[in-house]
Amino acid sequence: MLHNVLVIGAGKGGVAVINMLSQLDMYHIVGVVDQNEQAPGIHLAKQLSIPTSKKWKDIYTKDVQIIFDVTGNLEFKKELENSAHSNTQLISGTIAHLVSRLLKEKEQLIEELENTSYKQELIFNATNDGMIVVDPDGVITFINESAERMTGLSRHVHIGMLVSNAISTSQLMRILETKRTEVNQRLVLPNGRHIITTRIPIISEDDQMLGAFAVFKDVTEIVHLAEELTDLKDVHSMLEAIIHSSDEAISVVDEHGTGLMVNPAYSRITGLSKEEIIGKGAQADIYEGESVHLQVLNTRKPVRGVRMKVGPNRKEVIVNVAPIIVNGKLKGSVGVIHDVSEIKALTEELSRARKMIRSLEETYTFEDIIAVSEEMSLVVEQARVAAKTPAAVLLRGDSGTGKELLAHAIHYESDRKYNKFVRVHCGSFSKNMAEQELFGFEGEEDAGFRKFVKRGFFEEAHGGTIFLDEIADLPLTAQTKLLRVLQDKELWRIGGKEPIPIQVRVIAASAKNLEKEMARGTFREDLYYRLNRMPIQLPPLKRRKEDIPTLSQTFIDRINTDFGRSVKGIDEEAMKRLMEYDWPGNIRELENVLSRALIFMDFHKHWMTADDLPSLTSWRNNSISFTDQEESSMGLVEKLEHVEKTIIQEAIQACGGNKTAAAKRLQISVRNLYYKLEKYEIEEMEVE
């Protein structure tokens, strides 16, 4: 039954009564009365949408069953007793205060109990350990947040459920039966998680079973880490087996440069056992030179092609070292060393193989000729026309403009392409040997011996093409016989008794001014006119600079193949420098510049920059160069040694013979400089 209540007095007592009654469903406050409109009870009533008034009779009706008088005024109390209806019950302020106080104490007690429970729950939820509590019947009474996360259970759903139904693998029911504690037991939850759990019974002082609880940790990650560790051990064993079975000599150090691992190939080359390396500093195996491992650890960049001597036998090796970086952190470095003597043998073998391949397969077509420029395109068109005729061709142009390549292309485009192309450098013969080499020789016939016959270059080229390079250097006597071959299509061997018919296409080339040579009397005029029927003038590189980018890329691709490099090309600034230079040495000079730049580039670089190029203004005076014979016979190692020797000589000369200054200029130690002076047999007189 609902009781209508009128509260008179809106002070502290009134506030207490309003708070008490508003929480009870069986009471309805019809109004709050106080002469002070600013009284706290008036404000509270307005917040609760309860009518307020200064006079109690304005609100009081017969429907009001209870009046709470909390004014404390005795005269007003008598007025109420005289004026109120007989069915209205009056409750004085003393009783109201007492009820309010009791209610307040009850609220405080409830709040304390709630706070205690909340604090306990906070503590249980703050731990990373899961916790589940059951009553004596095995019904779940508490699950903390960590347990929810690990098991996948929900407190709102599973509290009140049998633990065996919620977690099929739970063993808490056994604890209720045995009353024994189980510590650090391994358990796999239905969701696949691995936990380590401790189960404890809850027993009262009079030995009554109150329930049990379990506290557990999630060890799934630990189990997985243990499995990964086992896998890592297997991988480590596999890698160690691979390294030890490798024929490459390998050494590994940690981030401090301390030796971690060497393989048998390393011990074989250096002469050092693993006990002499592992646990020792990176300098332990070096006889002469500086540790590349330490250099790589300091720079975090790979270093390749460093020469040094290692071990007690002073074995000369080439070292390549790379850093070991894991997740951005330097963990050490791994080095591979190569025996220089083995490299030399392999290089020589490779050089021989390349010579054989070139001698068997070397052919050049017009497609191999770079002709982007208009002037060079015209040359190619003239050469294509010349290839279709049997007439002699005279190639004119400065040294290094590509006359031999054009001669190859003319031969390959002609109907003689399936026969030999014989190249002859006319300046390489002595005056007495030119005729014999070109036209052959027959020896005297002795009793009991067969006649000795040596075929000349023209006979070797029979049916094909002979390329007479630098024709102006041919002695006059040989020029006379050459003219007869061109006119009569036959030749006479030196000492021969009869002519030999010959069918050969002649392509001559000259960097000299043949007209001036005729004026001097060193070149036959009639031979000139015989050869000059189809002249082709090759332009110097400075007049065909449009070809430089394509020529440069072609050379870089070729050098990559020869030297085992992987340079992709030339950047914009470097190409600008190449385009601005006049190239007095023409295409040959361009190739030499690019070869030298690529040799000295870092192995990890893929683009040639302007800093990699030598000084183009002084290139022609630089003493680092190779003759044609050296170029074809020397391998990469020999070329590098030749260049290194020349650089050392120039540095010492520039420093006036001061070895310390020269070492500083070369950025090497003085000890290393003296080692190289001894290695290359550079005497004092050579550098003074």
Side-chain angles (χ1 to χ4, degrees):
M1 180 178 178
L2 186 65
H3 299 282
N4 293 325
V5 179
L6 177 64
V7 179
I8 302 176
K12 290 183 179 180
V15 170
V17 171
I18 293 170
N19 281 328
M20 175 187 71
L21 295 177
S22 63
Q23 297 180 25
L24 300 175
D25 295 336
M26 59 187 300
Y27 295 100
H28 171 62
I29 302 174
V30 299
V32 176
V33 179
D34 199 293
Q35 292 181 351
N36 183 7
E37 292 181 349
Q38 302 301 321
I42 296 297
H43 288 294
L44 178 61
K46 290 180 178 180
Q47 291 176 2
L48 298 174
S49 300
I50 300 172
T52 61
S53 177
K54 289 184 178 182
K55 297 179 181 181
W56 70 278
K57 291 182 179 181
D58 292 343
I59 298 178
Y60 177 70
T61 64
K62 293 181 181 181
D63 295 329
V64 176
Q65 287 96 20
I66 301 172
I67 295 177
F68 273 92
D69 174 20
V70 288
T71 62
N73 190 323
L74 295 176
E75 293 181 1
F76 181 70
K77 178 181 178 184
K78 290 179 180 181
E79 180 183 347
L80 285 175
E81 290 175 350
N82 294 329
S83 301
H85 297 288
S86 57
N87 61 342
T88 301
Q89 183 179 359
L90 296 177
I91 300 176
S92 67
T94 304
I95 297 174
H97 278 294
L98 179 61
V99 172
S100 174
R101 182 177 177 185
L102 290 173
L103 182 61
K104 197 168 188 179
E105 289 179 356
K106 175 187 176 184
E107 290 175 349
Q108 289 176 347
L109 181 60
I110 292 172
E111 184 177 357
E112 288 178 3
L113 289 173
E114 288 178 347
N115 286 339
T116 301
S117 175
Y118 178 69
K119 289 178 182 178
Q120 290 176 343
E121 187 171 349
L122 281 179
I123 293 171
F124 292 145
N125 286 328
T127 179
N128 289 325
D129 293 344
M131 181 177 292
I132 294 178
V133 182
V134 299
D135 65 11
D137 298 321
V139 175
I140 298 174
T141 60
F142 177 76
I143 303 173
N144 73 348
E145 292 179 357
S146 296
E148 281 187 304
R149 185 180 66 254
M150 295 182 205
T151 62
L153 302 180
S154 170
R155 282 180 286 182
H156 303 295
V157 175
H158 293 89
I159 288 179
M161 182 183 293
L162 275 174
V163 68
S164 56
N165 293 336
I167 305 174
S168 59
T169 55
S170 173
Q171 301 298 319
L172 279 176
M173 297 299 291
R174 186 174 68 229
I175 302 303
L176 295 173
E177 295 174 3
T178 63
K179 298 183 180 182
R180 292 181 180 178
T181 299
E182 296 179 353
V183 180
N184 295 335
Q185 301 296 305
R186 182 172 177 178
L187 180 70
V188 179
L189 297 174
N191 60 12
R193 285 187 175 272
H194 297 257
I195 63 171
I196 297 296
T197 179
T198 295
R199 309 180 186 100
I200 302 173
I202 304 173
I203 302 174
S204 67
E205 293 181 356
D206 56 355
D207 201 32
Q208 295 295 315
M209 176 61 71
L210 302 179
F213 68 94
V215 180
F216 46 91
K217 291 181 180 292
D218 187 353
V219 294
T220 305
E221 293 184 2
I222 297 175
V223 171
H224 289 166
L225 287 174
E227 293 172 349
E228 289 179 6
L229 182 59
T230 303
D231 293 340
L232 285 175
K233 287 182 178 179
D234 293 340
V235 172
H236 178 271
S237 300
M238 184 182 299
L239 289 176
E240 192 172 33
I242 292 171
I243 290 173
H244 278 71
S245 63
S246 174
D247 290 333
E248 299 283 353
I250 301 172
S251 68
V252 183
V253 302
D254 63 15
E255 66 269 30
H256 305 296
T258 304
L260 292 178
M261 183 187 300
V262 293
N263 65 348
Y266 184 91
S267 298
R268 173 177 55 80
I269 290 179
T270 63
L272 297 169
S273 65
K274 65 178 183 179
E275 289 78 13
E276 295 175 281
I277 299 298
I278 296 176
K280 306 295 193 306
Q283 293 275 11
D285 58 346
I286 299 174
Y287 177 80
E288 188 172 279
E290 299 178 1
S291 173
V292 185
H293 275 300
L294 295 180
Q295 181 180 346
V296 169
L297 293 174
N298 289 331
T299 63
R300 299 168 69 98
K301 294 181 179 179
V303 176
R304 299 177 62 87
V306 178
R307 299 184 69 136
M308 62 174 56
K309 290 184 178 180
V310 296
N313 299 326
R314 309 181 187 181
K315 178 70 73 173
E316 190 174 355
V317 297
I318 292 178
V319 182
N320 300 327
V321 179
I324 302 171
I325 299 177
V326 180
N327 295 329
K329 293 184 178 180
L330 182 67
K331 295 296 184 180
S333 60
V334 57
V336 179
I337 68 173
H338 302 278
D339 189 345
V340 170
S341 60
E342 293 181 1
I343 294 175
K344 285 182 178 179
L346 291 172
T347 302
E348 291 172 359
E349 190 67 28
L350 179 61
S351 179
R352 286 193 295 269
R354 281 177 176 163
K355 288 178 183 178
M356 292 175 63
I357 292 171
R358 285 175 179 169
S359 64
L360 292 172
E361 299 183 354
E362 187 172 54
T363 56
Y364 299 100
T365 68
F366 286 114
E367 283 69 31
D368 297 314
I369 298 175
I370 308 301
V372 178
S373 64
E374 183 177 350
E375 194 165 356
M376 194 60 194
S377 298
L378 179 59
V379 168
V380 172
E381 290 304 317
Q382 291 175 332
R384 286 184 183 275
V385 173
K388 302 303 181 183
T389 70
V393 179
L394 179 60
L395 304 179
R396 308 285 296 271
D398 295 341
S399 178
T401 52
K403 296 187 290 295
E404 182 178 349
L405 179 61
L406 192 62
H408 269 281
I410 292 172
H411 168 73
Y412 190 79
E413 192 83 1
S414 71
D415 55 4
R416 300 172 183 265
K417 63 182 178 181
Y418 297 112
N419 295 318
K420 281 188 177 182
F421 177 88
V422 178
R423 177 187 179 276
V424 180
H425 193 287
C426 298
S428 63
F429 305 133
S430 65
K431 185 176 180 180
N432 298 327
M433 294 297 295
E435 293 182 54
Q436 180 174 316
E437 293 295 328
L438 286 172
F439 309 113
F441 172 81
E442 291 184 9
E444 294 293 336
E445 188 173 5
D446 297 327
F449 295 92
R450 298 178 62 183
K451 182 169 65 173
F452 174 76
V453 175
K454 179 182 181 300
R455 288 158 54 93
F457 286 120
F458 269 89
E459 288 185 73
E460 292 291 335
H462 180 66
T465 302
I466 187 167
F467 174 54
L468 301 176
D469 196 10
E470 298 302 339
I471 189 69
D473 294 334
L474 197 64
L476 284 171
T477 55
Q479 292 181 30
T480 302
K481 297 198 71 168
L482 173 58
L483 180 61
R484 176 164 294 185
V485 170
L486 294 175
Q487 291 175 341
D488 302 336
K489 301 294 188 294
E490 62 181 21
L491 61 82
W492 291 77
R493 295 184 185 132
I494 304 300
K497 299 297 189 291
E498 55 185 22
I500 299 173
I502 194 77
Q503 289 292 331
V504 66
R505 167 74 173 273
V506 176
I507 301 176
S510 178
K512 293 182 179 180
N513 188 319
L514 294 180
E515 290 77 11
K516 288 184 179 181
E517 296 299 322
M518 286 191 296
R520 294 192 186 102
T522 59
F523 196 79
R524 291 181 61 102
E525 186 174 352
D526 48 1
L527 178 59
Y528 170 79
Y529 290 119
R530 176 67 69 172
L531 294 174
N532 201 39
R533 290 180 176 179
M534 188 165 286
I536 299 176
Q537 182 73 40
L538 278 76
L541 186 55
K542 65 182 179 181
R543 295 213 324 251
R544 47 177 295 209
K545 288 190 175 181
E546 301 96 317
D547 296 327
I548 289 178
T550 310
L551 284 169
S552 300
Q553 188 61 52
T554 301
F555 289 144
I556 286 176
D557 293 341
R558 185 185 303 167
I559 298 167
N560 279 336
T561 301
D562 290 343
F563 290 172
R565 300 296 297 271
S566 57
V567 177
K568 295 181 179 179
I570 304 173
D571 72 6
E572 185 175 346
E573 184 62 27
M575 182 56 66
K576 182 180 177 182
R577 285 188 57 189
L578 296 180
M579 296 293 286
E580 290 174 350
Y581 185 51
D582 280 342
W583 301 106
N586 294 298
I587 299 174
R588 185 178 293 118
E589 182 181 3
L590 174 63
E591 183 177 13
N592 286 341
V593 166
L594 295 176
S595 296
R596 184 183 181 196
L598 191 143
I599 287 172
F600 286 99
M601 278 178 63
D602 291 338
F603 267 75
H604 69 277
K605 289 183 66 174
H606 294 294
W607 290 94
M608 186 179 293
T609 65
D611 293 336
D612 297 316
L613 297 176
S615 176
L616 297 180
T617 56
S618 62
W619 174 254
R620 287 180 62 80
N621 295 324
N622 198 307
S623 57
I624 302 176
S625 60
F626 304 101
T627 65
D628 290 340
Q629 184 176 359
E630 289 174 333
E631 181 73 27
S632 62
S633 63
M634 292 172 66
L636 173 60
V637 175
E638 288 84 353
K639 289 179 181 178
L640 289 174
E641 290 178 345
H642 176 81
V643 171
E644 186 176 41
K645 178 179 178 180
T646 305
I647 292 173
I648 291 172
Q649 289 172 321
E650 292 177 349
I652 296 176
Q653 288 172 350
C655 296
N658 187 321
K659 307 295 190 305
T660 303
K664 186 175 181 181
R665 183 187 183 98
L666 295 168
Q667 299 182 12
I668 62 175
S669 65
V670 176
R671 183 181 69 174
N672 203 2
L673 175 61
Y674 275 100
Y675 155 69
K676 293 181 183 296
L677 292 175
E678 179 182 354
K679 173 184 175 182
Y680 296 125
E681 299 179 352
I682 300 175
E683 303 292 341
E684 292 289 330
M685 60 179 296
E686 292 185 67
V687 297
E688 291 181 353

